Amino acid sequence: MDTTVTAIETEPQVLVRPSRDEDVEAMLAIYRRHVRRGVEDSAAGTGAPEPDDLKQRRKNLRNHRLPHLVATYRGEVVGYAYVVQFRKRPAYRFAVKHSIYVHHEHLGRGVGRLLMQALIDASAAAGYRQMIGYIDADNTASLGIHERFGFIRVGLLPGVAYRYGRWSDTVMVQRSLGPGTSEAPALLGR
């Protein structure tokens, strides 16, 4: 009888949690790489906030019940996601716009899917009814994930970005959250 015990190494899971101040540098590194890809070095600015600005933004989002999440793998931040109000006027207070950024070494590993599900769940739980996103038309992976999560294409913004030496289009997508438009929202606290 063989009594040898073989240890089976299990792959650690990607965990999604609310972001913390100590995640800011890792989030900014991910963001800077994404925002600069395909843009010539001579283009002014990156649009990346300074660490203290991002800490304040996170605080403001939390105060308005807007999720700001990170995905971690083996304790390292490998992606982050958040929502902001779609528009600042009161009529739009139940619609959010989302952003998801995944570290380039972790693309295709399900990080974006985990962040998307967590954003949808948190936004619906907070009473938001519509989620909107803007995606580079050439980003077929992101468009596919959005379709799997029930987003539909609601608009095309032709030639609004200049990257990789050419004009590129942006696709606008949208999905309902919770009961969507089938019933009136609870107006308390909004």
Side-chain angles (χ1 to χ4, degrees), residues 107-108 113 135-148:
L107 294 171
R113 287 190 306 273
I135 306 163
D136 186 295
D138 293 332
N139 191 341
T140 56
S142 183
L143 289 168
I145 288 172
H146 281 82
E147 286 176 15
R148 285 192 291 281

Side-chain angles (χ1 to χ4, degrees), residues 87-163:
R87 296 277 191 266
K88 292 186 180 189
R89 293 198 171 100
Y92 299 99
R93 67 193 177 278
F94 297 102
V96 292
K97 181 178 77 70
H98 73 283
S99 294
I100 298 175
Y101 296 96
V102 177
H103 190 283
H104 66 280
E105 293 177 359
H106 294 272
L107 294 171
R109 295 183 177 173
V111 175
R113 287 190 306 273
L114 290 171
L115 286 166
M116 178 69 79
Q117 187 64 62
L119 271 185
I120 289 169
D121 293 346
S123 297
Y128 295 100
R129 297 297 186 86
Q130 298 295 320
M131 185 177 279
I132 296 160
Y134 296 94
I135 306 163
D136 186 295
D138 293 332
N139 191 341
T140 56
S142 183
L143 289 168
I145 288 172
H146 281 82
E147 286 176 15
R148 285 192 291 281
F149 276 94
F151 285 84
I152 57 171
R153 296 179 188 207
V154 295
L156 178 69
L157 303 169
V160 294
Y162 190 77
R163 297 175 23 165

Side-chain angles (χ1 to χ4, degrees), residues 14 25 58 69 71 81-82 103 112 138 141 148 153-154 161-162 166 169 171 176 180:
V14 174
E25 288 298 333
R58 286 181 51 260
L69 309 171
Y82 60 93
H103 190 283
D138 293 332
R148 285 192 291 281
R153 296 179 188 207
V154 295
Y162 190 77
R166 66 179 180 82
D169 301 341
V171 176
S176 290

